[in-house]
Amino acid sequence: MPVAQRWAYLDHAAVAPIPGSAAQAVQRWATQAAEEGELSCPQWYEALRQCRQRAAQLIGCHGEEVALVPNTTYGINIVALGLDWRPGDNVVFPGHEFPTNQYPWMTLAAQGVEVRRILPQPGKSLLELLREACDRKTRLVAISWVQYSDGYRIDLAEACQIAREVGALLCVDAIQGLGVFPLNVEHEPVDFLAADGHKWLLGPEGAGVFYVRREHLDRLRPIGVGWHSVVHAQDFSRIALELKPSAARFEGGSHNAVGFIGLGESLRLLLEYGVARVAERVLHLTDIACERLKSLGASIVSDRSAKAKSGIVAFEVPGVDPVMLKERCRQAGVVVSVRAGRLRISPHAYNNEEDLDRLCEVIKSSLAG
């Protein structure tokens, strides 16, 4: 990771740096695009195919169930705009999540769908609140695998069970968990999943994945239909709306080839290293970070219980303005974020304890005035 030569980069829950090999793949694309133009298209199409297959391998599904999409928002909108909603249906989702997993569902009110935004309550878990909000008219439950502000990680198997109990579908915003925690959609049978590649997957922005369980493919009215959506995609003179029998039907036009080439290389690295090993390393680093931060008087906001902890740690330093501390970190070569008025760190597997030491030194100096 070239970024590590200069920065203690602890902000992968925002926008992650890409690996050196992904950067090289992007640079090769740029050279080919400049020197060969469309003559390189066969190589690019093969790279896109590999990216799709690697994404499928990452979540334990078939390549036909994966669409290459621009971002998480697009993937979620495939579901929000594609399902055959009926007046009286309701959709249930947490009301404190990242906007991507709220706005698409909120637009459904115009179709007579009841929008149930669930807000946190003391003494109750997020999944308890979701279960209480569901009934036999719940058409879909939408939730993030990991909460962006404090890193709370839900039990996906339990979320699936909650949806199944009322006959609802489950849509998961997986952007803060995919790539850092193992997932197999056969064991945790989510119905739909979307994630951009620019966080824990270490890919460029504008290149993400969308998963639809095979049996639900025809339940979604395709949005963004274009030349690439049909089985005869390369035959431009034949006009016949014969949609591909795969999730690729949602890829209406030309791909962001350079983005997916970079993402494909990052996926290769993650699969080679092993996502289970990534999770072990990230949880180890965040456990150490929490201990060191507490020793400095910081208050850890994130739930660090075994089932709920993730790669995100939110914390507060009494008497120190978080925005000011973030800027001091940046000046010292440490990259962190502020979310919901709190500092947030999110180290990846390549980070080390020296990166955490650099963070703690900045906090010490800030406390000393």
Side-chain angles (χ1 to χ4, degrees):
M1 297 293 293
V3 71
Q5 297 175 16
R6 177 183 177 189
W7 299 94
Y9 202 98
L10 305 174
D11 204 17
H12 298 86
V15 177
I18 66 174
S21 61
Q24 291 168 7
V26 168
Q27 289 160 3
R28 284 195 299 272
W29 172 89
T31 299
Q32 291 173 331
E35 297 180 357
E36 301 176 11
E38 71 167 338
L39 297 175
S40 295
C41 281
Q43 295 179 51
W44 300 343
Y45 292 155
E46 173 59 20
L48 293 174
R49 186 194 67 79
Q50 291 179 1
C51 182
R52 188 193 311 278
Q53 291 303 125
R54 288 166 184 164
Q57 182 181 347
L58 187 72
I59 64 174
C61 73
H62 298 282
E64 293 79 8
E65 297 174 300
V66 173
L68 302 179
V69 296
N71 46 54
T72 312
T73 298
Y74 190 93
I76 288 176
N77 271 288
I78 290 175
V79 182
L81 302 178
L83 278 178
D84 181 21
W85 298 95
R86 300 178 294 267
D89 287 344
N90 68 67
V91 57
V92 178
F93 58 93
H96 62 295
E97 292 207 350
F98 195 78
T100 288
N101 199 43
Q102 295 199 60
Y103 290 140
W105 313 117
M106 293 170 70
T107 65
L108 299 174
Q111 299 182 45
V113 175
E114 182 185 356
V115 175
R116 297 183 177 178
R117 296 177 66 235
I118 309 306
L119 296 175
Q121 293 182 25
K124 289 191 175 182
S125 72
L126 181 56
L127 290 180
E128 285 180 297
L129 295 170
L130 285 176
R131 178 174 270 113
E132 292 175 358
C134 292
D135 57 31
R136 288 297 173 182
K137 291 187 177 181
T138 301
R139 188 81 179 279
L140 182 136
V141 176
I143 193 167
S144 292
W145 187 2
V146 175
Q147 295 296 316
Y148 82 103
S149 62
D150 63 8
Y152 180 78
R153 176 166 53 106
I154 68 161
D155 183 330
L156 278 180
E158 185 176 350
C160 292
Q161 182 180 353
I162 290 171
R164 296 292 182 272
E165 287 172 356
V166 295
L169 299 167
L170 181 70
C171 182
V172 175
D173 177 344
I175 195 170
Q176 295 291 7
L178 197 61
V180 71
F181 292 107
L183 173 63
N184 188 309
V185 292
E186 293 301 318
H187 301 153
E188 293 141 326
V190 303
D191 298 295
F192 312 107
L193 177 149
D196 204 339
H198 70 271
K199 298 186 187 292
W200 301 95
L201 293 176
L202 303 177
E205 288 190 281
V209 296
F210 170 70
Y211 160 77
V212 51
R213 187 166 293 279
R214 193 195 307 266
E215 57 262 37
H216 299 323
L217 183 63
D218 290 331
R219 298 181 68 171
L220 297 176
R221 177 178 59 85
I223 66 171
V225 174
W227 67 269
H228 194 269
S229 301
V230 297
V231 294
H232 49 283
Q234 297 298 324
D235 186 352
F236 306 132
S237 63
R238 179 188 174 196
I239 302 302
L241 189 59
E242 299 173 10
L243 296 174
K244 291 178 178 177
S246 69
R249 63 173 58 179
F250 302 113
E251 303 168 9
S254 299
H255 293 91
N256 169 20
V258 61
F260 287 110
I261 286 170
L263 176 60
E265 175 57 25
S266 295
L267 288 173
R268 185 192 66 78
L269 287 176
L270 288 169
L271 290 168
E272 184 178 280
Y273 186 80
V275 178
R277 291 177 64 197
V278 172
E280 181 180 4
R281 173 69 177 170
V282 167
L283 292 178
H284 173 68
L285 286 171
T286 49
D287 283 343
I288 292 174
C290 287
E291 291 304 315
R292 294 187 182 178
L293 290 169
K294 286 189 287 187
S295 72
L296 296 174
S299 174
I300 306 300
V301 177
S302 300
D303 186 339
R304 297 299 296 176
S305 60
K307 290 184 67 174
K309 62 184 177 180
S310 71
I312 294 174
V313 175
F315 63 98
E316 298 172 342
V317 180
V320 179
D321 177 69
V323 175
M324 179 273 294
L325 188 51
K326 172 189 170 183
E327 291 307 312
R328 287 190 176 181
C329 283
R330 190 68 56 89
Q331 293 167 12
V334 181
V335 185
V336 301
S337 278
V338 173
R339 294 291 187 272
R342 306 183 184 103
L343 286 155
R344 186 189 73 178
I345 61 171
S346 46
H348 214 301
Y350 71 89
N351 288 114
N352 56 36
E353 293 188 38
E354 292 180 7
D355 295 331
L356 303 181
D357 290 340
R358 292 171 67 179
L359 168 66
C360 291
E361 285 301 317
V362 178
I363 295 174
K364 285 179 185 178
S365 63
S366 298
L367 288 170

